[in-house]
Amino acid sequence: MEKPKNRVANWTRLHRRFGDHVRKLRNSRELTQENLAERSDLSVDAIRRIERGSFSPSLDTLGKLSVGLDVSLKTLFQGFERERTDAVAEICDFLAHRSGREVQRAWRVIQALFEEH
């Protein structure tokens, strides 16, 4: 059985890893902590604490964070589990908020990028 001290250390590492993951997502979108806080309807202090790993966000907070980062909760956690961003899932999240016409346009662009001449 795992000792209580080891469980605390594991949770601390988990919080730090998640914070690092959120920071990477934020930076990849060229957002400041202030921008993300505004987009997420969270305080800047909450964003800082999440990124430092000193705060365990509630489900409500995670939902707001996913809105601010413009990813689904599924993508937020998939990327965290893999310790990298799942670019395909992020593209799907991005396209999910677009009109059918915009999705068709994006599909044509993607196909054109990979056409063999």
Side-chain angles (χ1 to χ4, degrees):
M1 183 169 196
E2 189 177 31
K3 294 181 181 179
K5 199 173 196 176
N6 289 341
R7 278 187 290 216
V8 171
N10 286 339
W11 278 111
T12 300
R13 279 193 295 277
L14 181 70
H15 290 156
R16 286 189 187 135
R17 272 188 45 227
F18 184 74
D20 289 342
H21 175 64
V22 169
R23 183 180 304 107
K24 287 175 189 170
L25 287 172
R26 176 179 60 77
N27 287 333
S28 74
R29 287 156 177 71
E30 298 179 354
L31 295 172
T32 64
Q33 289 178 332
E34 291 78 11
N35 297 140
L36 179 56
E38 186 176 316
R39 289 172 54 143
S40 302
D41 195 29
L42 295 168
S43 70
V44 177
D45 185 55
I47 300 298
R48 287 184 184 128
R49 289 173 49 215
I50 291 168
E51 288 187 0
R52 272 196 321 260
S54 63
F55 175 63
S56 182
S58 67
L59 186 55
D60 184 52
T61 299
L62 291 170
K64 290 178 178 184
L65 195 57
S66 72
V67 168
L69 291 168
D70 199 24
V71 297
S72 67
L73 280 173
K74 179 180 178 182
T75 300
L76 181 66
F77 285 108
Q78 274 181 332
F80 171 59
E81 278 296 312
R82 294 182 185 157
E83 295 187 25
R84 65 175 176 79
T85 301
D86 185 347
V88 173
E90 286 193 56
I91 291 168
C92 291
D93 286 344
F94 177 80
L95 291 173
H97 302 294
R98 304 294 177 230
S99 70
R101 188 173 184 198
E102 290 172 316
V103 170
Q104 287 297 329
R105 187 178 320 134
W107 178 238
R108 287 193 304 271
V109 169
I110 291 168
Q111 286 177 314
L113 285 171
F114 295 100
E115 280 182 1
E116 292 185 29
H117 296 278

